[in-house]
Amino acid sequence: MATTPNPFNTLEHQRLRTGALCESLKQRFAELHARDYPDDGAAKALWLLADLLTLLQKRVQLIADEKTLIMAGEVVIELGETLEYFDNAGTDQTPRGLVVLLQSLYARLGWPSNLLAWPQSVYNFTIRPFVENLAVLFQYLGPDAEIDAVLKAYTGPRDLVSFPRIERDNVRMYAIFGHEIGHRIAGEFLKQEQADATFSGEEAAIRAKVIAAMGGSPSIIDAQKLIEKVFSLRKRALEELISDIVGVYLFGPSALYAGHEWYAPDSVDT
């Protein structure tokens, strides 16, 4: 029997869907410009996202592969998650004084004080890269010099700083930000350490000690698993210890008291 061709053009459907998602998200970003933010950083970030969406809309019209169009739609959906940041970064949720505090901490460490602070429902303090995450997201669509140029020219917030909304008015807990900022310093230290020739020799010595502790002749798989665990624990320990040191440097004893309240809320943890 002859088959009837499917009249539904899935390629064009994905093109229209992705284009509509781009337009809808651009509209949401435009609406957010009317909010009152602690500084002009949010506006710069919103313009960046809108510019990226405009470029993506142009690409969508040229994409001839359905899977790539679907991937482009997923990128737009991922960008849509940034709405949470801007919804909560307004002065009705994020005190101006907190932003000034964070910017002063960045300045004290010699960093550009470009950040976007916002409260989250999750009980956690975090500092995450903004521009770097955007670059990784767009890499899934392949190399694009025009998008790279837009990201390079951007001068707005480069970090997303979040804090638990429930603790918004508890200024004593703001000392935790010293620890979070320390994670960035710890990451830079670990990268430099990896590039140091001395570390390679120390790494080899540690591997030998692990193998010796396992009896001297473990299987390659068992040895590799334990070695990876040892280095993972070492990395995690250094990240936390360096972060604590930075916190104390920035806030003094307040960092210790806030850390105790944050990390050891009950007698079992203590």
Side-chain angles (χ1 to χ4, degrees), residues 1-265:
M1 295 179 62
T3 57
T4 303
N6 186 355
F8 184 68
N9 189 325
T10 56
L11 178 66
E12 287 307 310
H13 168 72
Q14 293 298 339
R15 193 187 313 282
L16 290 172
R17 176 179 179 272
T18 303
L21 285 172
C22 286
E23 196 59 39
S24 295
L25 187 54
K26 284 176 67 176
Q27 180 62 34
R28 301 291 83 76
F29 289 151
E31 293 168 356
L32 285 166
H33 273 288
R35 296 283 303 280
D36 178 47
Y37 295 101
D39 58 20
D40 63 351
K44 291 180 178 180
L46 286 167
W47 283 124
L48 169 66
L49 292 169
D51 288 344
L52 291 173
L53 282 172
T54 298
L55 291 175
L56 187 56
Q57 280 180 300
K58 294 178 181 178
R59 304 294 185 278
V60 165
Q61 301 307 314
L62 303 174
I63 296 174
D65 176 67
E66 186 174 345
K67 290 183 178 180
T68 305
L69 277 173
I70 293 173
M71 182 65 72
E74 291 301 314
V75 168
V76 181
I77 291 172
E78 287 283 336
L79 289 176
E81 294 185 6
T82 63
L83 289 170
E84 181 183 9
Y85 313 149
F86 300 100
D87 282 338
N88 294 327
T91 52
D92 57 330
Q93 295 294 339
T94 301
R96 293 184 190 275
L98 171 59
V99 175
V100 172
L101 166 67
L102 291 169
Q103 289 175 339
S104 69
L105 294 179
Y106 271 50
R108 188 173 175 185
L109 294 169
W111 297 344
S113 57
N114 296 325
L115 56 91
L116 183 73
W118 60 286
Q120 58 182 346
S121 58
V122 178
Y123 193 71
N124 197 16
F125 289 83
T126 62
I127 294 180
R128 298 189 181 96
F130 178 50
V131 180
E132 288 83 351
N133 286 351
L134 290 176
V136 171
L137 181 61
F138 277 89
Q139 281 178 2
Y140 291 112
L141 298 178
D144 192 312
E146 196 171 8
I147 287 178
D148 291 342
V150 170
L151 291 173
K152 186 176 181 180
Y154 172 68
T155 60
R158 306 195 72 84
D159 285 337
L160 299 171
V161 181
S162 60
F163 57 96
R165 180 176 293 180
I166 195 173
E167 296 280 21
R168 183 182 65 189
D169 300 324
N170 185 1
V171 295
R172 294 173 301 175
M173 295 299 288
Y174 287 176
I176 294 295
F177 281 119
H179 175 92
E180 293 302 321
I181 289 174
H183 273 291
R184 180 167 159 178
I185 293 177
E188 292 174 358
F189 168 80
L190 291 171
K191 285 182 181 178
Q192 292 176 5
E193 184 185 56
Q194 289 288 337
D196 191 332
T198 304
F199 179 73
S200 298
E202 294 177 351
E203 185 179 28
I206 293 173
R207 288 177 178 273
K209 289 181 180 180
V210 171
I211 292 174
M214 297 178 72
S217 57
S219 69
I220 295 176
I221 295 177
D222 289 341
Q224 188 60 29
K225 284 183 178 179
L226 186 56
I227 289 171
E228 288 178 357
K229 185 174 182 180
V230 168
F231 279 100
S232 176
L233 290 172
R234 176 187 181 275
K235 178 176 179 290
R236 182 63 175 163
L238 283 174
E239 286 175 341
E240 296 302 323
L241 289 171
I242 293 173
S243 298
D244 285 338
I245 292 171
V246 174
V248 173
Y249 168 75
L250 292 170
F251 285 97
S254 298
L256 298 177
Y257 292 127
H260 181 273
E261 185 172 351
W262 177 258
Y263 299 112

